[in-house]
Amino acid sequence: MTDQNPKKCVKVIVLGDIGRSPRMQYHALSLSDNGFKVNIIAYTDSAPLTEVLENPSITITKLHSCKFDRGPKILQYIMKALWQAISLFLTLLVTGKCEYLLCQNPPAVPTLPICRFYCLITRTKFIVDWHNYGHTIMALSISPRLNILLKLYTFMERYFGQSAHHNLCVTYAMKEDLSENWNINATVLYDRPPSIFRPINLQEKHDWFVKLAQKYPEFASNDLGTADENTTAFTRIVDGEVTLRPNRPGIIFSSTSWTPDEDFGILMDALQVYETAFELTKKLPKLICVITGKGPMKQHYIDMIASRNWKHVKVMTPWLDACDYPSMVASVDLGVCLHTSSSGLDLPMKVVDMFGAGLPVCAVSFRCLEELVQDGINGYVFRTSDELSKLIIGWFDGFPNNNEKNQIAAKMRRELSKFQESRWEGNWNLRAKKFFL
């Protein structure tokens, strides 16, 4: 705790689900650690971190959504924006005054104009945290006939973004783009994993697999097919010590919002190749693919998975509580990221979390990915499903007894240990704390 005035208040605005906005939750925790009272104003479709819920200095004010799914598309956009604008503004008023307002962008409309107007009439410092561009996300789904709406959205995002007292952003590529195209000077605050994302020991992995086996038989003992505290599909206790099973399956992991900017058809095609290669080579382990997240295209891909009828590849799509997610990430063999970014200027936070847990990642290539993933050093970069399938097959060739591949994995994890030296807490104090003084 610092000597900051504890009565100072910061409102953290997320016009989205706070449970799926880890960066803004980390902001709230850092502000609390520095003596501020924090009021998060957001939708609460999923639970935030336990550390946020149990923090006495952080309160969450729930925004209420309203569906508009009838009538012309342009009318739906207008009605949704009006509802969000009114509900957000009234919530800002009834929750009282604050010294600082930290706003997540996107979405830009109506968030930025409403927050700027509130800051203007209450003399509050307005700070925008740029995760991506709202207009590039909108462009993915809007009809060309509504181009005028997209132009208006872009203008409002630029105009009100320029009006902020301070700006934060997630990459140097975005900082450069904001400066050159919108005359906005932003400070880069890289996403970094909090301390909850860390490598875990074999006992912790075993305990996690035992817990998963209660619900998912794929994680139970291969011999028994039922949950057992001493044996899972991956570990067993021998003479009181946890050991890895030599015939265990491989596990890959991915997290997604099931949106159009993540083409999971690439992963499905790669897994189909793996299924075929398993039969041909006899050198591969059975594979479990865990995909977590919620989103509009989830059912589409679940149906696609079911139609494949694989025998050697199992795909699971659980929803994990925030407290369980770090354990899942730290317990698998390889991560997969299919995030491409609508702007090409942001970086996937899921990879940051995986790196924090010491997990090498295969990530689909896009414009600024090299700011995070160095191909062949801390992970791999791919462009097509064919490239991804070769990477997955190569990683698990002879698993788990291929010494050459094990050495490569160990080398990548040593590289990731350097990445883990920089955590969110220290990075925030260095880069962002000055804007709240």
Side-chain angles (χ1 to χ4, degrees):
M1 188 72 66
T2 70
D3 59 356
Q4 289 279 354
N5 185 344
K7 294 184 178 180
K8 284 189 175 181
C9 177
V10 182
K11 292 185 180 182
V12 176
I13 312 301
V14 179
L15 205 64
D17 180 11
I18 185 59
R20 294 162 66 186
S21 302
R23 180 177 168 99
M24 301 309 288
Q25 294 181 67
Y26 301 158
H27 273 300
L29 289 169
S30 292
L31 287 162
S32 172
D33 288 344
N34 281 275
F36 289 95
K37 291 183 178 180
V38 181
N39 180 205
I40 298 174
I41 298 175
Y43 297 109
T44 56
D45 300 327
S46 55
L49 296 167
T50 303
E51 292 87 344
V52 171
L53 292 174
E54 295 180 352
N55 192 307
S57 298
I58 300 175
T59 58
I60 300 176
T61 302
K62 179 181 179 181
L63 289 171
H64 296 277
S65 60
C66 187
K67 288 188 176 181
F68 297 96
D69 52 7
R70 295 184 179 181
K73 204 72 173 177
I74 189 168
L75 182 61
Q76 292 180 37
Y77 277 123
I78 293 172
M79 293 302 296
K80 180 180 179 180
L82 282 175
W83 169 262
Q84 290 178 328
I86 293 170
S87 62
L88 176 59
F89 185 63
L90 291 177
T91 303
L92 286 168
L93 289 179
V94 300
T95 49
K97 294 188 66 176
C98 61
E99 281 70 30
Y100 303 92
L101 186 149
L102 175 61
C103 174
Q104 173 186 289
N105 185 70
V109 178
T111 323
L112 295 185
I114 292 300
C115 288
R116 183 67 186 99
F117 180 61
Y118 170 82
C119 289
L120 184 66
I121 63 175
T122 59
R123 297 183 179 180
T124 300
K125 285 289 182 66
F126 182 37
I127 303 169
V128 178
D129 190 20
W130 297 80
H131 297 197
N132 199 349
Y133 292 151
H135 69 276
T136 61
I137 295 175
M138 187 181 191
L140 293 175
S141 59
I142 197 168
S143 166
R145 295 184 294 106
L146 300 179
N147 192 48
I148 184 65
L149 201 62
L150 181 59
K151 288 183 177 179
L152 177 61
Y153 190 109
T154 306
F155 169 78
M156 295 180 72
E157 185 169 26
R158 179 177 63 249
Y159 179 81
F160 288 102
Q162 290 172 337
S163 71
H165 294 95
H166 304 291
N167 291 272
L168 299 166
C169 67
V170 294
T171 65
Y172 279 96
M174 180 172 284
K175 173 183 173 66
E176 183 179 347
D177 191 80
L178 284 168
S179 177
E180 290 185 357
N181 296 317
W182 286 6
N183 196 31
I184 292 175
N185 181 28
T187 297
V188 178
L189 177 66
Y190 272 137
D191 284 321
R192 283 293 181 268
S195 55
I196 56 174
F197 288 96
R198 59 176 178 82
I200 61 177
N201 61 40
L202 202 52
Q203 179 67 58
E204 291 172 304
K205 289 183 181 181
H206 175 77
D207 294 342
W208 171 240
F209 290 143
V210 169
K211 181 177 179 179
L212 276 177
Q214 306 297 320
K215 189 173 183 180
Y216 302 102
E218 293 87 351
F219 287 87
S221 166
N222 286 338
D223 301 326
L224 302 176
T226 56
D228 184 319
E229 290 188 0
N230 295 316
T231 311
T232 73
F234 312 91
T235 56
R236 60 188 174 191
I237 297 179
V238 179
D239 297 329
E241 295 291 330
V242 178
T243 61
L244 289 169
R245 297 184 62 160
N247 62 337
R248 65 187 182 274
I251 318 176
I252 63 175
F253 173 81
S254 189
S255 175
T256 179
S257 299
W258 300 106
T259 51
D261 63 349
E262 292 184 300
D263 182 4
F264 263 78
I266 294 176
L267 179 56
M268 296 301 102
D269 291 344
L271 293 177
Q272 181 64 62
V273 174
Y274 188 96
E275 172 81 6
T276 304
F278 183 97
E279 295 283 2
L280 294 175
T281 67
K282 307 299 183 182
K283 293 182 179 180
L284 296 170
K286 290 189 175 183
L287 190 66
I288 294 178
C289 177
V290 179
I291 307 173
T292 67
K294 293 180 180 179
M297 298 186 71
K298 183 174 182 177
Q299 191 58 49
H300 167 76
Y301 284 109
I302 288 177
D303 294 341
M304 181 187 294
I305 292 163
S307 69
R308 299 297 177 103
N309 196 29
W310 291 319
K311 295 180 180 179
H312 310 296
V313 177
K314 299 290 185 182
V315 179
M316 301 165 52
T317 56
W319 173 252
L320 298 175
D321 292 335
C323 60
D324 288 334
Y325 184 78
S327 297
M328 185 77 255
V329 174
S331 298
V332 304
D333 302 301
L334 183 66
V336 175
C337 176
L338 294 159
H339 175 88
T340 55
S341 172
S342 60
S343 65
L345 298 172
D346 69 313
L347 292 171
M349 194 159 189
K350 65 198 75 176
V351 173
V352 174
D353 295 338
M354 292 178 194
F355 280 3
L359 180 65
V361 174
C362 295
V364 67
S365 177
F366 63 92
R367 177 176 166 186
C368 66
L369 185 65
E370 68 277 2
E371 290 191 38
L372 181 62
V373 181
Q374 286 82 51
D375 190 31
I377 298 175
N378 59 12
Y380 294 106
V381 176
F382 65 91
R383 291 172 177 78
T384 65
S385 61
D386 182 57
E387 291 180 3
L388 177 58
S389 65
K390 290 178 180 177
L391 290 172
I392 296 175
I393 291 170
W395 188 266
F396 289 103
D397 181 31
F399 180 89
N401 300 313
N402 187 321
N403 289 332
E404 180 183 352
K405 298 298 171 58
N406 290 342
Q407 289 174 8
I408 292 173
K411 184 178 179 180
M412 284 190 175
R413 289 190 171 95
R414 286 195 298 270
E415 191 67 32
L416 291 177
S417 67
K418 301 175 186 176
F419 179 87
Q420 294 156 18
E421 292 173 1
S422 174
R423 293 288 179 171
W424 171 270
E425 296 85 356
N427 195 40
W428 190 92
N429 286 333
L430 180 65
R431 299 282 184 170
K433 180 178 178 179
K434 59 188 176 183
F435 299 128
F436 299 91
L437 297 177

